[in-house]
Amino acid sequence: MSTENISQKNASFFPWLIMILMSSVTFVGILSELMPSGILPLMMADLNISEMQTGNLVGYYAIASAIFAIPLISMTMQFNRKHLLLLLLSGFAVSNIVVGLIDNYNVIIFLRIIGGICAGVMWPMIAAYGMRLVDEEHHGKAIAVIMAGTTLGISIGMPIMTTIGNEYGWRSEFTGFGLVIIAIAVISFFALPSAPGEKLTKSSSPFAVLTNPAVLVILVLTLLGVTAHYGAYVYITSLVEEIGLAGGIESALLFLV
């Protein structure tokens, strides 16, 4: 089905089920990124690594997202959007499942970097993909629903995943989470419409936005905000233990949103 036909088909209604499915992708995307922050002591003890090394599991993931995002987005613009999304979900699934099965810290860091690269491509791509599946009048609603997965992932998903990790072990948390991602990928394979990629031009290149001073200001402010946010998330477990917060890490994660 062509993009034009998709848009015409959805001109009179909003495809809630498809948008919610895409929201589940951003939900697992943010969880994949932040999951280690809720179970730092468990990973430190099991892998026999320092607190700083455990924090790197989130830090390197974020750095990989930032470094590889623009180059890989440029390289994959011509890819079919559905096929690319399925590839990224596969990367998320494999990186999480294998992390839960191995003991080698260096390999785990490598897999976290792979996950970060997938996230760097997924975040800007999925909103644009969703907009192409609806009529122009529904663009704002599509973005809101799709990106709501990040808020739900942080506010609800993180406390739940942390509880699972504390109750059943961090390895079960990672492997189980990877299986959930596989389930989302299978549903996406059958449910999401196909959408062709776009031809890379000078005006459509992600590098073009860097020439806009207003965009650069927004990027700098976003960098500062995200850095502060991640700094709190990465070491929140240690902070909770230090101050003896009632309710433990799960309560802290709820209040940190």
Side-chain angles (χ1 to χ4, degrees), residues 60 95 104-117:
Y60 286 170
S95 63
N104 188 295
Y105 174 74
N106 292 326
V107 176
I108 290 176
I109 284 290
F110 173 76
L111 290 167
R112 293 292 294 169
I113 290 173
I114 295 298
I117 291 172

Side-chain angles (χ1 to χ4, degrees), residues 1-223:
M1 185 181 296
S2 68
T3 304
E4 182 179 355
N5 290 336
I6 293 170
S7 181
Q8 291 175 352
K9 180 179 178 181
N10 291 289
S12 60
F13 72 97
F14 187 76
W16 281 101
L17 293 179
I18 289 177
M19 294 298 114
I20 291 173
L21 175 59
M22 298 181 80
S23 181
S24 73
V25 175
T26 62
F27 180 86
V28 297
I30 195 67
L31 282 180
S32 181
E33 195 161 347
L34 295 175
M35 266 201 321
S37 61
I39 49 173
L40 285 183
L42 298 178
M43 300 187 75
M44 286 170 57
D46 189 33
L47 297 173
N48 193 28
I49 55 178
S50 67
E51 186 176 47
M52 183 183 72
Q53 287 177 305
T54 316
N56 287 340
L57 297 177
V58 175
Y60 286 170
Y61 189 110
I63 291 171
S65 294
I67 292 176
F68 291 99
I70 292 180
L72 288 180
I73 291 167
S74 299
M75 291 173 58
T76 57
M77 280 190 67
Q78 299 183 52
F79 287 24
N80 182 287
R81 301 293 87 183
K82 177 179 178 179
H83 297 165
L84 178 59
L85 183 60
L86 293 173
L87 179 62
L88 297 175
L89 285 171
S90 299
F92 282 132
V94 171
S95 63
N96 280 285
I97 290 174
V98 178
V99 163
L101 298 176
I102 63 175
D103 295 309
N104 188 295
Y105 174 74
N106 292 326
V107 176
I108 290 176
I109 284 290
F110 173 76
L111 290 167
R112 293 292 294 169
I113 290 173
I114 295 298
I117 291 172
C118 292
V121 177
M122 183 273 287
W123 289 119
M125 182 275 286
I126 193 167
Y129 179 18
M131 289 171 61
R132 295 177 64 185
L133 303 181
V134 298
D135 191 67
E136 186 175 354
E137 66 184 87
H138 294 311
H139 282 181
K141 184 187 292 187
I143 294 174
V145 174
I146 292 170
M147 300 311 293
T150 61
T151 302
L152 293 174
I154 294 173
S155 61
I156 298 176
M158 274 296 293
I160 292 175
M161 295 306 296
T162 299
T163 299
I164 292 173
N166 288 328
E167 291 292 330
Y168 302 103
W170 72 269
R171 295 185 181 277
S172 297
E173 178 184 1
F174 271 88
T175 53
F177 183 63
L179 295 176
V180 170
I181 297 175
I182 290 176
I184 292 174
V186 171
I187 296 172
S188 298
F189 176 81
F190 292 103
L192 289 182
S194 179
E198 301 178 35
K199 185 177 180 180
L200 181 64
T201 63
K202 186 176 181 179
S203 60
S204 65
S205 170
F207 289 101
V209 302
L210 299 179
T211 62
N212 188 321
V215 173
L216 288 177
V217 171
I218 293 174
L219 289 175
V220 171
L221 293 176
T222 301
L223 174 63

